[in-house]
Amino acid sequence: MTIIISLLLLTSLLPHLTFTAHVNVGIVNGREAKPHSRPYMVSIQKYGYHICGGFLISNELVLTAAHCWGRGDILTVVVGAHDLRKSKCSDRFEVISYIQHPYYKSKPIRNDIMLLRLEKKVKLNNKVRLISLPKDRDIKAGTRCIVAGWGRLKTNGPGSKLLMEANTTIKNPTECQCRWKSDYLASQMICAYGGGGSCNGDSGGPLVCGDTAVGVTSFGSALRCNSPERPNVYTKISAYRQWFHEQI
């Protein structure tokens, strides 16, 4: 009953997100990240509340998931944060341009990627840095990676005020296709599963392998965060290199 009520609330709050593979709007079975060890992470907020993650790819551009924004939404971006209860002490930026991928679809989800252009350039320092994007190559199955965010700590649980992180492992595209059927498109997606993983509130955050962001947190199981039956799915950044060049 609790799951049904939660899904109904999600539907009422985000009517434009209605598809079988429900999006991840925290990190479950994870650990607190060392403060400011992931200085590229940003909190995307609406009316002062965290709704999605994102990451800095230039001093005025944030990469996130397209489903994190609905037409008419006014978002702000908090950089340099670790504890969101202290985010008023962190730098907060208005978004002046929302650049959703032109072929983004929510049912089934496709091209779930978006750039946010900030009102002014971010000052880079030891708490605020950029993360590199991948070369034009795929990530091999079995690669150990990390996801991070301020999302829920368990299915239907509370979000985290502290930045959390967890290890995860890239799965074979064939297995991803088998698990997700037509929801999964190998040319533009990666799936991963580990001891911990993404949950609601982590959407838009990066899937980081080494020192490179290779994916954008997109969707997962509607019934269980970090489900082994439905590995978390990430938008494959390397598939959008041409689009990045056109926008930047």
Side-chain angles (χ1 to χ4, degrees):
M1 186 65 178
T2 301
I3 292 174
I4 294 172
I5 293 173
S6 298
L7 291 176
L8 288 173
L9 286 172
L10 178 61
T11 303
S12 64
L13 289 170
L14 301 175
H16 57 290
L17 300 180
T18 54
F19 45 87
T20 303
H22 290 262
V23 297
N24 297 322
V25 289
I27 299 296
V28 295
N29 299 329
R31 59 190 177 273
E32 180 184 350
K34 181 181 178 181
H36 310 296
S37 62
R38 303 198 175 279
Y40 47 81
M41 288 292 301
V42 309
S43 168
I44 297 174
Q45 302 189 357
K46 181 179 177 181
Y47 303 128
Y49 293 96
H50 173 86
I51 61 165
C52 277
F55 46 106
L56 285 166
I57 62 169
S58 84
N59 58 6
E60 59 181 350
L61 288 173
V62 168
L63 188 58
T64 188
H67 76 256
C68 288
W69 179 67
R71 300 289 178 183
D73 286 351
I74 298 175
L75 305 180
T76 56
V77 169
V78 176
V79 306
H82 174 71
D83 186 338
L84 292 184
R85 291 168 295 190
K86 302 176 182 177
S87 64
K88 290 183 179 179
C89 300
S90 303
D91 288 331
R92 184 180 296 270
F93 295 84
E94 299 295 328
V95 177
I96 61 169
S97 182
Y98 302 86
I99 311 170
Q100 269 185 340
H101 193 279
Y103 297 116
Y104 163 66
K105 288 174 53 181
S106 63
K107 188 178 182 179
I109 196 160
R110 296 289 185 263
N111 302 299
D112 190 17
I113 195 165
M114 176 172 65
L115 289 167
L116 304 178
R117 190 177 299 276
L118 306 180
E119 59 180 326
K120 58 183 179 180
K121 293 182 178 180
V122 174
K123 292 183 179 179
L124 303 180
N125 52 50
N126 62 340
K127 295 182 180 180
V128 181
R129 294 203 177 277
L130 313 180
I131 188 167
S132 60
L133 300 182
K135 304 291 185 181
D136 189 14
R137 61 183 177 86
D138 289 336
I139 301 299
K140 293 182 179 179
T143 301
R144 293 284 299 276
C145 304
I146 287 179
V147 289
W150 288 275
R152 293 182 184 179
L153 299 172
K154 61 180 180 179
T155 305
N156 296 320
S160 176
K161 297 301 182 182
L162 304 175
L163 182 64
M164 304 292 287
E165 64 182 22
N167 296 328
T168 192
T169 302
I170 303 296
K171 309 301 288 184
N172 188 291
T174 303
E175 180 179 353
C176 300
Q177 191 80 63
C178 179
R179 299 288 186 179
W180 281 105
K181 310 300 182 187
S182 61
D183 285 323
Y184 187 82
L185 190 60
S187 63
Q188 59 180 242
M189 298 175 184
I190 304 168
C191 89
Y193 174 75
S198 305
C199 194
N200 300 79
D202 292 323
S203 285
L207 173 66
V208 179
C209 302
D211 57 359
T212 302
V214 303
V216 179
T217 305
S218 183
F219 64 86
S221 170
L223 300 179
R224 177 184 174 187
C225 292
N226 197 43
S227 165
E229 291 80 23
R230 294 287 188 272
N232 290 318
V233 178
Y234 305 84
T235 303
K236 184 190 297 185
I237 293 175
S238 62
Y240 296 90
R241 288 176 58 84
Q242 183 60 40
W243 181 69
F244 290 136
H245 289 308
E246 291 171 358
Q247 304 309 316
I248 297 173

